[in-house]
Amino acid sequence: SFFIPSPLLPFSFKEYYEATKEHGKSKRELFDSYLRYGSFPYVSYLENDEKIINQYIEGIYHTILLKDVATREKINDISTLENILKTLASSIGSPISAKKIADTLTSNNEKTNDKTVGSYLEYLCNAFAFYKVRRYDIKGKKYLTSQDKYYLADHSFKYARLGTKNLDYGRTYENIVAVELLRRGYEIYTGVLY
């Protein structure tokens, strides 16, 4: 027998609301919590205690990063993996390539190359931590080979790595919409029209 991985998507807001509505909070309050802290229903039990919520999300983040990716793929360079994840998290909704990430890391005195970064990106997507959205040339009707977009499985991971001081609502909304479209079975891509 063999195992075929299938995406495990986080709760949609509808599912999150159904799981948390008995806490006596309004739909708006629950949406604000969902927007700020992600789709993990247990967060609503933490009474908006930001410190505990961040520790909880950090724990999930480290389980995915260290156990699901690093252990399975036998990655010893956790620092590079984590820096790639931080770069992706800060670039949600922006076109980005393995070469661009490698160049950024190299300029910060981290020794890596686009082949390594490309492999790590694939590992992160295989673990369903990120979803890759390819670029599509609408006029030429073909996929392009550079500058894909990556969306986090749960937008709370962005804040686990980068903090919540400057919430980027536009990119967070885009991430939520992209994951919702995937949940509904749509094939999504980023268009290029010349």
Side-chain angles (χ1 to χ4, degrees):
S1 79
F2 60 93
F3 172 73
I4 299 173
S6 63
L8 181 61
L9 294 166
F11 272 2
S12 66
F13 177 67
K14 180 181 179 183
E15 293 166 324
Y16 179 85
Y17 177 72
E18 289 299 318
T20 58
K21 66 183 178 182
E22 73 275 357
H23 297 155
K25 296 178 185 174
S26 71
K27 197 173 216 178
R28 179 65 202 185
E29 288 172 314
L30 288 172
F31 183 75
D32 288 344
S33 180
Y34 180 81
L35 183 64
R36 186 168 183 84
Y37 302 118
S39 63
F40 300 109
Y42 186 70
V43 164
S44 68
Y45 290 99
L46 301 176
E47 297 297 324
N48 287 338
D49 184 327
E50 197 160 327
K51 184 177 179 183
I52 293 173
I53 290 170
N54 288 339
Q55 288 172 348
Y56 172 71
I57 294 169
E58 278 278 333
I60 294 170
Y61 167 84
H62 282 287
T63 297
I64 290 173
L65 182 69
L66 298 177
K67 291 185 179 176
D68 290 352
V69 178
T71 303
R72 182 178 340 132
E73 302 299 341
K74 298 176 178 61
I75 295 172
N76 295 323
D77 189 357
I78 302 299
S79 174
T80 297
L81 179 62
E82 194 158 15
N83 286 332
I84 290 169
L85 200 144
K86 283 180 187 176
T87 303
L88 277 181
S90 66
S91 301
I92 291 300
S94 298
I96 196 162
S97 67
K99 179 167 179 13
K100 188 174 180 180
I101 294 171
D103 290 346
T104 299
L105 296 177
T106 301
S107 72
N108 291 327
N109 297 321
E110 183 150 351
K111 293 182 182 181
T112 192
N113 58 53
D114 57 332
K115 184 177 178 183
T116 299
V117 170
S119 294
Y120 284 21
L121 290 174
E122 184 178 336
Y123 301 154
L124 289 166
C125 291
N126 288 344
F128 303 113
F130 283 89
Y131 295 96
K132 177 180 174 179
V133 174
R134 295 177 64 193
R135 287 182 73 201
Y136 190 76
D137 177 350
I138 296 169
K139 280 190 175 178
K141 297 189 170 129
K142 63 181 179 180
Y143 283 106
L144 302 174
T145 58
S146 65
Q147 300 286 310
D148 299 311
K149 286 187 177 187
Y150 290 84
Y151 293 99
L152 278 161
D154 190 281
H155 55 278
S156 66
F157 293 143
K158 176 178 180 178
Y159 305 124
R161 297 313 325 137
L162 304 173
T164 58
K165 282 188 177 179
N166 296 314
L167 291 174
D168 187 340
Y169 290 104
R171 289 179 192 249
T172 302
Y173 287 134
E174 182 177 345
N175 197 96
I176 290 169
V177 169
V179 172
E180 182 62 26
L181 289 171
L182 290 171
R183 175 183 290 103
R184 293 180 184 201
Y186 288 97
E187 180 179 344
I188 61 173
Y189 53 89
T190 179
V192 177
L193 182 60
Y194 298 100

